[in-house]
Amino acid sequence: MLIGVSPYTACYGQIYGVDGKIVDKKTFRESQSIALVTRGILDPGQHLRYLPVMIPRVSILLPVFNSEETLTECLDSLLSQTFGDFEIIAVDDGSTDGSAGVLLDYQRRDRRIKVIHIAHSGIVTALQTAAGLSSAPCLARMDADDISLPRRLEKQVTLLDRRPDIALAGCRVGEVPGFPIRGGYAMYFQWVNALIEPDQIAGNLYVESPLPHPTVMFRREPYLDVGGYQDHGWPEDYDLWLRMHLAGYRFAKVPEELLLWRDHGARASRRNHRYDVEAFFRAKAYYLAQGPLKGVGEVVICGAGKTARRHAAHLTGYGIRIAAYVDVDPGKIGRFMAGVPVVGIDDLTAFAGRIILSFVARWGAREAIRDRLNAMGKIEGKDYLCCA
Protein backbone atom coordinates (compact mmCIF):
# COMPACT_ATOMS: atom_id res chain seq x y z
CA MET A 1 0.00 0.00 0.00
CA LEU A 2 1.29 3.44 -0.91
CA ILE A 3 1.35 5.97 1.95
CA GLY A 4 1.95 9.59 0.92
CA VAL A 5 3.89 11.50 3.56
CA SER A 6 4.63 14.83 1.86
CA PRO A 7 4.51 16.26 -1.66
CA TYR A 8 8.03 14.95 -2.16
CA THR A 9 8.08 11.77 -0.12
CA ALA A 10 6.34 8.43 -0.43
CA CYS A 11 6.70 5.13 1.40
CA TYR A 12 6.13 1.69 -0.10
CA GLY A 13 6.52 -0.75 2.78
CA GLN A 14 10.25 -0.61 3.50
CA ILE A 15 11.05 1.36 0.32
CA TYR A 16 11.12 5.14 0.64
CA GLY A 17 11.08 7.74 -2.11
CA VAL A 18 12.51 11.19 -1.50
CA ASP A 19 12.43 13.76 -4.31
CA GLY A 20 12.06 10.94 -6.82
CA LYS A 21 14.96 8.89 -5.35
CA ILE A 22 14.70 5.42 -3.81
CA VAL A 23 16.29 5.60 -0.34
CA ASP A 24 16.12 3.58 2.84
CA LYS A 25 14.70 4.83 6.12
CA LYS A 26 17.93 6.37 7.38
CA THR A 27 18.40 8.61 4.38
CA PHE A 28 15.32 10.78 4.80
CA ARG A 29 16.28 14.42 4.81
CA GLU A 30 15.59 16.43 7.97
CA SER A 31 12.88 18.41 6.19
CA GLN A 32 11.02 15.26 5.27
CA SER A 33 11.21 13.86 8.79
CA ILE A 34 9.75 17.13 10.13
CA ALA A 35 6.86 16.68 7.70
CA LEU A 36 6.37 13.16 9.04
CA VAL A 37 6.23 14.46 12.61
CA THR A 38 3.79 17.20 11.62
CA ARG A 39 1.43 14.62 10.12
CA GLY A 40 1.72 12.29 13.10
CA ILE A 41 3.58 9.56 11.24
CA LEU A 42 6.66 9.96 13.47
CA ASP A 43 6.74 10.96 17.12
CA PRO A 44 8.64 14.18 18.09
CA GLY A 45 12.31 13.39 18.62
CA GLN A 46 12.30 10.69 15.96
CA HIS A 47 13.75 12.95 13.27
CA LEU A 48 15.78 10.80 10.92
CA ARG A 49 19.40 11.69 10.39
CA TYR A 50 20.41 12.50 6.79
CA LEU A 51 23.02 10.23 5.24
CA PRO A 52 24.42 10.47 1.69
CA VAL A 53 22.52 8.47 -0.93
CA MET A 54 24.41 6.33 -3.43
CA ILE A 55 22.68 7.04 -6.74
CA PRO A 56 23.13 4.42 -9.47
CA ARG A 57 23.91 5.34 -13.05
CA VAL A 58 20.85 3.61 -14.56
CA SER A 59 17.32 3.00 -13.28
CA ILE A 60 15.53 0.16 -15.09
CA LEU A 61 11.76 0.66 -15.27
CA LEU A 62 10.07 -2.74 -15.22
CA PRO A 63 6.25 -2.88 -15.17
CA VAL A 64 4.96 -6.36 -14.39
CA PHE A 65 1.48 -7.80 -14.85
CA ASN A 66 0.85 -11.55 -14.75
CA SER A 67 4.29 -12.36 -16.11
CA GLU A 68 5.24 -15.28 -13.85
CA GLU A 69 6.20 -17.55 -16.75
CA THR A 70 8.77 -15.17 -18.27
CA LEU A 71 9.81 -12.98 -15.33
CA THR A 72 12.64 -15.19 -14.07
CA GLU A 73 14.37 -15.19 -17.46
CA CYS A 74 13.89 -11.43 -17.73
CA LEU A 75 15.38 -10.70 -14.29
CA ASP A 76 18.25 -13.14 -14.80
CA SER A 77 19.15 -11.31 -18.01
CA LEU A 78 19.27 -7.99 -16.15
CA LEU A 79 21.34 -9.35 -13.27
CA SER A 80 23.80 -10.81 -15.82
CA GLN A 81 24.64 -7.42 -17.32
CA THR A 82 28.32 -6.53 -17.68
CA PHE A 83 27.39 -3.02 -16.46
CA GLY A 84 26.29 -3.38 -12.86
CA ASP A 85 25.66 0.18 -11.64
CA PHE A 86 21.88 0.06 -11.86
CA GLU A 87 18.68 -0.33 -9.89
CA ILE A 88 15.56 -2.15 -11.03
CA ILE A 89 12.27 -0.45 -10.15
CA ALA A 90 9.80 -3.30 -10.59
CA VAL A 91 6.15 -2.27 -10.32
CA ASP A 92 3.76 -5.18 -9.83
CA ASP A 93 0.60 -3.84 -11.44
CA GLY A 94 -1.88 -5.91 -9.46
CA SER A 95 -0.78 -9.30 -10.80
CA THR A 96 -3.07 -12.24 -10.02
CA ASP A 97 -0.52 -14.97 -10.78
CA GLY A 98 2.78 -15.66 -9.02
CA SER A 99 4.62 -12.58 -10.32
CA ALA A 100 4.68 -10.86 -6.92
CA GLY A 101 6.33 -13.87 -5.32
CA VAL A 102 9.00 -14.02 -8.03
CA LEU A 103 9.77 -10.33 -7.58
CA LEU A 104 10.03 -10.57 -3.80
CA ASP A 105 12.32 -13.60 -4.08
CA TYR A 106 14.68 -11.68 -6.38
CA GLN A 107 14.51 -8.60 -4.16
CA ARG A 108 15.74 -10.66 -1.21
CA ARG A 109 18.67 -11.86 -3.30
CA ASP A 110 19.77 -8.52 -4.79
CA ARG A 111 19.44 -5.12 -3.13
CA ARG A 112 19.42 -3.38 -6.51
CA ILE A 113 15.86 -4.64 -7.05
CA LYS A 114 13.10 -2.44 -5.59
CA VAL A 115 9.58 -3.89 -5.71
CA ILE A 116 6.42 -1.79 -5.53
CA HIS A 117 2.92 -3.27 -5.51
CA ILE A 118 -0.02 -1.24 -6.80
CA ALA A 119 -3.63 -1.99 -7.61
CA HIS A 120 -4.04 -2.88 -11.28
CA SER A 121 -3.98 0.46 -13.12
CA GLY A 122 -2.36 -0.20 -16.50
CA ILE A 123 1.08 0.29 -17.97
CA VAL A 124 1.10 4.10 -17.95
CA THR A 125 0.47 4.31 -14.21
CA ALA A 126 3.02 1.55 -13.59
CA LEU A 127 5.64 3.43 -15.62
CA GLN A 128 4.83 6.76 -13.97
CA THR A 129 5.22 5.06 -10.59
CA ALA A 130 8.54 3.46 -11.51
CA ALA A 131 9.96 6.64 -13.03
CA GLY A 132 8.82 8.72 -10.07
CA LEU A 133 10.68 6.45 -7.66
CA SER A 134 13.82 6.14 -9.77
CA SER A 135 17.00 7.95 -8.89
CA ALA A 136 19.49 7.55 -11.75
CA PRO A 137 20.39 10.10 -14.44
CA CYS A 138 19.53 7.50 -17.11
CA LEU A 139 16.31 5.50 -17.34
CA ALA A 140 16.16 2.18 -19.21
CA ARG A 141 13.02 0.27 -20.16
CA MET A 142 12.47 -3.42 -19.92
CA ASP A 143 9.44 -5.64 -20.43
CA ALA A 144 8.88 -8.74 -18.32
CA ASP A 145 8.49 -10.81 -21.54
CA ASP A 146 11.92 -10.03 -22.95
CA ILE A 147 15.63 -10.74 -22.50
CA SER A 148 18.42 -8.17 -22.38
CA LEU A 149 21.69 -9.52 -23.73
CA PRO A 150 24.65 -9.14 -21.34
CA ARG A 151 26.23 -6.00 -22.82
CA ARG A 152 23.02 -4.05 -23.46
CA LEU A 153 23.35 -1.54 -20.60
CA GLU A 154 27.11 -1.20 -21.06
CA LYS A 155 26.80 -0.34 -24.75
CA GLN A 156 23.90 2.07 -24.32
CA VAL A 157 25.64 3.92 -21.48
CA THR A 158 28.75 4.14 -23.66
CA LEU A 159 26.75 5.59 -26.56
CA LEU A 160 25.21 8.26 -24.32
CA ASP A 161 28.62 9.08 -22.79
CA ARG A 162 30.28 9.47 -26.17
CA ARG A 163 27.44 11.42 -27.79
CA PRO A 164 26.13 14.14 -25.48
CA ASP A 165 23.79 15.36 -28.24
CA ILE A 166 21.81 12.11 -28.02
CA ALA A 167 18.92 12.02 -25.52
CA LEU A 168 17.89 8.41 -26.11
CA ALA A 169 19.83 5.29 -27.05
CA GLY A 170 18.10 2.29 -28.58
CA CYS A 171 19.43 -0.92 -30.09
CA ARG A 172 18.54 -3.58 -32.63
CA VAL A 173 16.11 -6.35 -31.73
CA GLY A 174 16.31 -10.11 -32.12
CA GLU A 175 13.86 -12.87 -31.21
CA VAL A 176 13.75 -15.15 -28.19
CA PRO A 177 14.58 -18.71 -29.36
CA GLY A 178 11.38 -20.66 -29.79
CA PHE A 179 9.29 -17.53 -30.22
CA PRO A 180 9.79 -16.49 -33.85
CA ILE A 181 8.61 -13.03 -34.85
CA ARG A 182 6.04 -13.51 -37.61
CA GLY A 183 3.90 -11.55 -40.04
CA GLY A 184 3.75 -7.79 -39.71
CA TYR A 185 6.03 -7.78 -36.69
CA ALA A 186 8.80 -9.46 -38.71
CA MET A 187 8.57 -6.69 -41.31
CA TYR A 188 8.43 -4.10 -38.53
CA PHE A 189 11.63 -5.33 -36.86
CA GLN A 190 13.42 -5.55 -40.19
CA TRP A 191 12.48 -1.89 -40.67
CA VAL A 192 13.43 -0.64 -37.17
CA ASN A 193 16.75 -2.51 -37.22
CA ALA A 194 17.76 -0.52 -40.30
CA LEU A 195 17.17 2.83 -38.56
CA ILE A 196 20.28 3.68 -36.54
CA GLU A 197 21.33 7.32 -36.81
CA PRO A 198 19.35 10.40 -35.68
CA ASP A 199 18.31 11.57 -39.15
CA GLN A 200 17.11 8.08 -40.11
CA ILE A 201 15.02 7.82 -36.95
CA ALA A 202 13.63 11.37 -37.16
CA GLY A 203 12.74 10.91 -40.83
CA ASN A 204 10.58 7.90 -40.00
CA LEU A 205 8.91 8.97 -36.76
CA TYR A 206 5.55 9.55 -38.46
CA VAL A 207 5.71 6.21 -40.28
CA GLU A 208 5.64 4.05 -37.15
CA SER A 209 7.48 4.00 -33.82
CA PRO A 210 11.14 3.45 -34.80
CA LEU A 211 12.09 2.72 -31.19
CA PRO A 212 10.66 -0.49 -29.65
CA HIS A 213 9.91 0.43 -26.06
CA PRO A 214 11.93 -2.23 -24.16
CA THR A 215 15.07 -1.41 -26.17
CA VAL A 216 15.56 2.17 -25.00
CA MET A 217 17.65 4.04 -22.45
CA PHE A 218 17.11 7.79 -22.12
CA ARG A 219 18.43 10.67 -20.08
CA ARG A 220 16.27 11.80 -17.17
CA GLU A 221 16.31 15.54 -17.97
CA PRO A 222 14.73 15.32 -21.45
CA TYR A 223 12.17 12.86 -20.08
CA LEU A 224 11.15 15.32 -17.36
CA ASP A 225 11.35 18.28 -19.72
CA VAL A 226 8.55 16.92 -21.92
CA GLY A 227 6.37 15.76 -19.04
CA GLY A 228 7.26 12.07 -18.80
CA TYR A 229 4.86 9.24 -19.57
CA GLN A 230 1.31 10.38 -20.29
CA ASP A 231 -1.94 8.60 -21.08
CA HIS A 232 -3.75 9.81 -24.20
CA GLY A 233 -5.30 6.51 -25.21
CA TRP A 234 -2.58 5.71 -27.75
CA PRO A 235 0.87 4.06 -27.35
CA GLU A 236 2.59 5.67 -24.35
CA ASP A 237 6.07 5.11 -25.74
CA TYR A 238 5.32 6.55 -29.19
CA ASP A 239 3.68 9.52 -27.49
CA LEU A 240 6.87 10.15 -25.50
CA TRP A 241 9.15 9.84 -28.56
CA LEU A 242 7.02 12.33 -30.52
CA ARG A 243 7.03 14.87 -27.70
CA MET A 244 10.79 14.53 -27.29
CA HIS A 245 11.27 14.90 -31.04
CA LEU A 246 9.14 18.05 -31.20
CA ALA A 247 11.19 19.46 -28.30
CA GLY A 248 14.35 19.03 -30.38
CA TYR A 249 15.83 15.92 -28.77
CA ARG A 250 17.74 13.40 -30.88
CA PHE A 251 17.78 9.60 -30.86
CA ALA A 252 20.32 6.99 -31.96
CA LYS A 253 20.87 3.25 -31.60
CA VAL A 254 23.69 0.88 -30.85
CA PRO A 255 23.88 -1.02 -34.18
CA GLU A 256 23.74 -4.43 -32.48
CA GLU A 257 21.02 -6.81 -31.31
CA LEU A 258 20.99 -6.25 -27.56
CA LEU A 259 17.38 -7.19 -26.74
CA LEU A 260 15.47 -10.37 -27.57
CA TRP A 261 11.74 -9.86 -28.10
CA ARG A 262 9.36 -12.62 -27.07
CA ASP A 263 6.44 -12.60 -29.49
CA HIS A 264 3.27 -14.23 -28.18
CA GLY A 265 -0.46 -13.67 -28.41
CA ALA A 266 -0.85 -12.38 -24.85
CA ARG A 267 1.65 -9.54 -25.37
CA ALA A 268 0.02 -6.16 -24.63
CA SER A 269 1.03 -4.72 -28.00
CA ARG A 270 -1.04 -7.46 -29.68
CA ARG A 271 -4.20 -7.22 -27.59
CA ASN A 272 -4.47 -3.80 -25.93
CA HIS A 273 -6.59 -1.27 -27.84
CA ARG A 274 -4.07 1.52 -27.19
CA TYR A 275 -1.69 -0.19 -29.63
CA ASP A 276 -4.12 -0.76 -32.50
CA VAL A 277 -3.76 0.91 -35.89
CA GLU A 278 -6.40 3.54 -35.26
CA ALA A 279 -4.68 4.62 -32.03
CA PHE A 280 -1.44 5.18 -33.97
CA PHE A 281 -3.38 7.20 -36.55
CA ARG A 282 -4.77 9.46 -33.83
CA ALA A 283 -1.34 9.99 -32.29
CA LYS A 284 0.25 10.87 -35.64
CA ALA A 285 -2.49 13.34 -36.56
CA TYR A 286 -2.31 15.05 -33.18
CA TYR A 287 1.47 15.52 -33.21
CA LEU A 288 1.60 16.45 -36.89
CA ALA A 289 -0.91 19.20 -36.08
CA GLN A 290 1.08 20.25 -33.00
CA GLY A 291 4.42 20.18 -34.78
CA PRO A 292 5.32 20.32 -38.49
CA LEU A 293 1.77 21.23 -39.59
CA LYS A 294 1.13 23.85 -36.94
CA GLY A 295 -0.27 26.90 -38.70
CA VAL A 296 -0.48 25.03 -42.02
CA GLY A 297 -3.80 25.42 -43.80
CA GLU A 298 -3.50 22.88 -46.62
CA VAL A 299 -1.45 19.80 -47.42
CA VAL A 300 -1.06 17.43 -50.34
CA ILE A 301 -1.30 13.71 -49.58
CA CYS A 302 0.57 11.05 -51.57
CA GLY A 303 -1.71 8.05 -51.77
CA ALA A 304 -5.42 7.89 -52.45
CA GLY A 305 -6.25 4.54 -50.90
CA LYS A 306 -8.20 3.79 -47.73
CA THR A 307 -5.21 4.31 -45.42
CA ALA A 308 -4.45 7.76 -46.83
CA ARG A 309 -8.09 8.79 -46.62
CA ARG A 310 -8.33 7.65 -42.98
CA HIS A 311 -5.30 9.78 -42.15
CA ALA A 312 -6.88 12.68 -44.02
CA ALA A 313 -10.03 12.38 -41.90
CA HIS A 314 -7.98 12.72 -38.70
CA LEU A 315 -6.07 15.72 -40.05
CA THR A 316 -9.21 17.56 -41.13
CA GLY A 317 -10.36 17.19 -37.52
CA TYR A 318 -7.53 19.59 -36.65
CA GLY A 319 -8.54 22.08 -39.33
CA ILE A 320 -6.00 20.95 -41.93
CA ARG A 321 -7.49 20.87 -45.43
CA ILE A 322 -6.47 18.41 -48.13
CA ALA A 323 -5.57 20.27 -51.34
CA ALA A 324 -5.05 17.11 -53.43
CA TYR A 325 -4.36 13.40 -53.38
CA VAL A 326 -1.42 12.14 -55.46
CA ASP A 327 -1.60 8.67 -56.97
CA VAL A 328 0.09 6.60 -59.68
CA ASP A 329 -3.06 4.70 -60.68
CA PRO A 330 -4.32 6.08 -64.02
CA GLY A 331 -7.79 4.93 -63.04
CA LYS A 332 -7.81 7.31 -60.06
CA ILE A 333 -6.03 10.35 -61.59
CA GLY A 334 -8.51 12.98 -62.68
CA ARG A 335 -11.21 11.81 -60.29
CA PHE A 336 -12.37 13.49 -57.06
CA MET A 337 -12.60 11.95 -53.62
CA ALA A 338 -14.89 13.79 -51.20
CA GLY A 339 -14.43 16.86 -53.38
CA VAL A 340 -10.61 16.60 -53.42
CA PRO A 341 -8.85 16.10 -56.78
CA VAL A 342 -6.63 13.10 -57.44
CA VAL A 343 -3.56 14.10 -59.48
CA GLY A 344 -0.39 12.48 -60.77
CA ILE A 345 2.98 13.13 -59.15
CA ASP A 346 4.06 15.28 -62.12
CA ASP A 347 1.16 17.62 -61.30
CA LEU A 348 2.67 18.62 -57.95
CA THR A 349 3.98 21.88 -59.44
CA ALA A 350 0.40 23.17 -59.30
CA PHE A 351 0.53 22.86 -55.50
CA ALA A 352 3.84 24.60 -54.86
CA GLY A 353 4.40 25.72 -51.28
CA ARG A 354 2.18 23.08 -49.72
CA ILE A 355 3.69 20.41 -47.50
CA ILE A 356 3.44 16.90 -48.95
CA LEU A 357 2.55 13.99 -46.66
CA SER A 358 3.38 10.58 -48.07
CA PHE A 359 0.87 8.12 -46.61
CA VAL A 360 1.87 5.28 -48.94
CA ALA A 361 1.67 2.20 -46.72
CA ARG A 362 3.77 -0.35 -48.66
CA TRP A 363 7.41 -0.44 -47.58
CA GLY A 364 9.00 -0.46 -51.05
CA ALA A 365 6.55 2.06 -52.47
CA ARG A 366 7.34 4.50 -49.67
CA GLU A 367 11.03 4.50 -50.58
CA ALA A 368 10.15 4.97 -54.26
CA ILE A 369 8.05 8.05 -53.38
CA ARG A 370 10.87 9.40 -51.22
CA ASP A 371 13.38 8.96 -54.08
CA ARG A 372 11.01 10.65 -56.53
CA LEU A 373 10.40 13.63 -54.28
CA ASN A 374 14.12 14.01 -53.61
CA ALA A 375 14.76 13.94 -57.38
CA MET A 376 12.24 16.78 -57.75
CA GLY A 377 14.32 18.89 -55.36
CA LYS A 378 12.00 18.42 -52.38
CA ILE A 379 13.64 18.40 -48.94
CA GLU A 380 12.48 15.83 -46.43
CA GLY A 381 11.35 17.39 -43.18
CA LYS A 382 10.75 20.73 -44.89
CA ASP A 383 8.83 20.09 -48.11
CA TYR A 384 7.57 16.61 -47.35
CA LEU A 385 7.18 14.04 -44.60
CA CYS A 386 6.96 10.26 -44.88
CA CYS A 387 4.08 8.93 -42.82
CA ALA A 388 2.00 5.76 -42.75
Side-chain angles (χ1 to χ4, degrees):
M1 178 178 178
L2 184 152
I3 308 169
V5 293
S6 86
Y8 308 103
T9 309
C11 167
Y12 295 78
Q14 296 302 308
I15 300 172
Y16 289 78
V18 175
D19 295 331
K21 300 179 178 63
I22 294 288
V23 298
D24 62 26
K25 202 172 182 183
K26 292 183 179 180
T27 59
F28 270 106
R29 297 182 187 275
E30 186 71 11
S31 59
Q32 269 77 37
S33 66
I34 292 172
L36 294 173
V37 170
T38 301
R39 297 184 55 181
I41 296 171
L42 290 179
D43 294 327
Q46 281 188 299
H47 291 196
L48 300 172
R49 183 168 58 90
Y50 168 73
L51 295 173
V53 181
M54 297 300 292
I55 298 175
R57 183 68 191 281
V58 177
S59 294
I60 301 171
L61 312 182
L62 177 62
V64 177
F65 178 67
N66 288 351
S67 302
E68 179 183 11
E69 292 184 4
T70 60
L71 188 53
T72 294
E73 200 169 6
C74 163
L75 291 169
D76 285 345
S77 78
L78 293 175
L79 297 180
S80 299
Q81 293 292 302
T82 56
F83 181 92
D85 188 12
F86 63 81
E87 62 180 359
I88 300 172
I89 313 297
V91 177
D92 175 24
D93 185 24
S95 295
T96 57
D97 64 356
S99 296
V102 174
L103 290 172
L104 292 174
D105 179 54
Y106 273 81
Q107 180 179 241
R108 285 190 288 268
R109 289 193 247 160
D110 197 309
R111 296 181 62 187
R112 293 174 296 179
I113 301 175
K114 315 296 192 297
V115 179
I116 301 95
H117 304 281
I118 63 174
H120 184 56
S121 305
I123 189 169
V124 177
T125 298
L127 287 169
Q128 290 169 337
T129 301
L133 289 169
S134 66
S135 61
C138 292
L139 307 179
R141 269 287 284 116
M142 185 63 181
D143 280 343
D145 313 275
D146 300 329
I147 297 170
S148 283
L149 295 180
R151 299 189 68 187
R152 176 194 164 188
L153 297 183
E154 173 197 342
K155 296 211 171 214
Q156 290 181 316
V157 166
T158 298
L159 187 153
L160 292 174
D161 282 346
R162 291 178 176 173
R163 301 178 67 173
D165 62 310
I166 298 301
L168 179 152
C171 64
R172 285 179 169 149
V173 186
E175 59 187 26
V176 172
F179 293 85
I181 300 171
R182 295 188 175 94
Y185 267 90
M187 295 176 62
Y188 169 68
F189 283 120
Q190 181 180 1
W191 175 72
V192 296
N193 283 346
L195 305 175
I196 303 298
E197 290 302 319
D199 289 346
Q200 293 176 307
I201 296 170
N204 285 278
L205 262 169
Y206 293 104
V207 172
E208 172 61 280
S209 175
L211 301 158
H213 203 179
T215 68
V216 302
M217 177 187 292
F218 47 84
R219 303 184 197 273
R220 175 182 295 276
E221 285 147 1
Y223 168 81
L224 294 176
D225 181 44
V226 301
Y229 286 109
Q230 298 176 8
D231 191 349
H232 298 289
W234 49 60
E236 75 290 338
D237 53 339
Y238 192 39
D239 178 79
L240 180 59
W241 314 154
L242 289 168
R243 280 185 283 120
M244 292 176 72
H245 172 68
L246 292 183
Y249 293 110
R250 287 158 56 83
F251 315 132
K253 295 178 188 175
V254 178
E256 298 177 37
E257 287 186 3
L258 298 175
L259 181 117
L260 302 183
W261 175 282
R262 189 188 306 270
D263 194 22
H264 57 87
R267 196 172 183 112
S269 54
R270 284 198 177 274
R271 58 186 176 85
N272 190 309
H273 66 87
R274 75 167 57 247
Y275 306 110
D276 64 26
V277 172
E278 200 64 28
F280 274 95
F281 283 7
R282 294 197 308 271
K284 292 170 190 177
Y286 177 80
Y287 284 109
L288 282 167
Q290 295 294 313
L293 301 186
K294 189 173 184 178
V296 172
E298 284 189 335
V299 297
V300 172
I301 290 182
C302 284
K306 291 181 180 179
T307 298
R309 297 199 302 274
R310 285 165 66 190
H311 281 293
H314 285 291
L315 291 172
T316 55
Y318 291 102
I320 299 167
R321 297 182 301 277
I322 313 304
Y325 292 106
V326 178
D327 207 277
V328 296
D329 183 353
K332 293 180 180 178
I333 295 172
R335 297 172 56 190
F336 285 79
M337 292 188 175
V340 177
V342 180
V343 302
I345 196 164
D346 293 327
D347 300 317
L348 280 174
T349 52
F351 301 93
R354 293 173 178 83
I355 292 178
I356 302 165
L357 303 179
S358 175
F359 281 117
V360 176
R362 296 192 310 277
W363 305 94
R366 185 183 308 123
E367 292 306 314
I369 291 289
R370 180 181 264 137
D371 291 343
R372 185 70 182 273
L373 293 173
N374 289 341
M376 295 171 67
K378 305 292 185 183
I379 300 172
E380 187 169 6
K382 177 175 177 282
D383 301 317
Y384 76 93
L385 295 168
C386 283
C387 312

